[in-house]
Amino acid sequence: MESKVLRIIDASINRAREAIRVLEDMVRFLYDDRELTEDLKKYRHDFAELSEKFSRPDRLRERDTDQDVGTEIQAKNEYVRRSANEVSAANFCRLQESLRSLEEWTKIDYPDLSPEFEQLRYRSYTLEKQCAQRQKIGD
C-alpha cells in the first residue's frame, strides 16, 4: 500500500476511535444507559478488530504529526460545545466521516475491507438515532 494512503487510513482510524470513545463515555457516565453503553462498547471492539487488519507498526511508521499541514487549521466553532447534544452530534459526524474515508481509501489495496467499513458506518447511523432518542429522555 502506498505510504500516503496508509497515512490517511491511520488518521481516519484514530479519528474514529476517538469519536467512539467520546460517545461511549457520554452514554455510560452522563446518561447511565447500560444498553447503549454495551452497544457502543461492542461497536468499539468491532471497529478495533477491523482496524487491526492494518499493521500498527506500519501505521506508526507512516504517521507524521510534526509535518501534518492540518494540525494548526481550526474551524470557526471547533472549541465550542454548548450541550451534550452538540458533543454527540459532532462526534457522530466525525465517526461517520472517518468511516466513509476508510471505506473509500481501502478500495485501493484492501477492497474486501471496504464493505466492512461501510457496514460500520450504517450501524453508526442507528446508534446515532438511539443516542438522540436517549438525549430527549434525559433532557
Side-chain angles (χ1 to χ4, degrees):
M1 174 178 289
E2 186 180 320
S3 64
K4 295 279 188 177
V5 172
L6 187 55
R7 186 174 173 206
I8 293 169
I9 288 172
D10 177 59
S12 293
I13 287 172
N14 291 337
R15 193 175 300 119
R17 284 181 57 235
E18 293 162 359
I20 296 166
R21 176 55 75 180
V22 170
L23 295 164
E24 186 179 345
D25 285 350
M26 179 186 72
V27 298
R28 178 179 176 187
F29 298 114
L30 187 61
Y31 295 127
D32 295 314
D33 189 312
R34 182 178 188 86
E35 183 178 341
L36 265 175
T37 300
E38 288 173 356
D39 290 347
L40 276 161
K41 184 175 182 176
K42 178 168 182 5
Y43 186 89
R44 179 170 48 85
H45 285 278
D46 291 346
F47 179 81
E49 184 178 325
L50 184 54
S51 299
E52 288 169 7
K53 308 240 174 158
F54 302 96
S55 159
R56 185 168 175 80
D58 289 346
R59 287 177 42 216
L60 289 173
R61 184 182 63 247
E62 298 307 324
R63 191 177 296 172
D64 190 3
T65 309
D66 293 337
Q67 300 302 313
D68 183 343
V69 298
T71 59
E72 295 183 19
I73 300 172
Q74 298 170 5
K76 181 181 175 189
N77 291 319
E78 190 166 339
Y79 296 102
V80 177
R81 300 285 185 270
R82 291 177 290 274
S83 68
N85 291 355
E86 287 186 9
V87 171
S88 178
N91 280 279
F92 271 112
C93 185
R94 180 174 295 117
L95 172 60
Q96 292 154 358
E97 290 171 348
S98 298
L99 290 167
R100 183 58 184 205
S101 184
L102 287 162
E103 180 184 337
E104 291 296 327
W105 287 106
T106 54
K107 290 176 181 177
I108 295 172
D109 289 320
Y110 294 90
D112 55 318
L113 299 182
S114 183
E116 294 186 57
F117 284 114
E118 178 184 37
Q119 288 306 307
L120 281 173
R121 184 167 50 85
Y122 291 143
R123 282 176 59 195
S124 76
Y125 298 146
T126 300
L127 286 167
E128 181 177 21
K129 182 177 179 179
Q130 291 170 330
C131 284
Q133 291 169 336
R134 175 57 181 97
Q135 290 163 354
K136 287 180 184 176
I137 294 168
D139 288 343

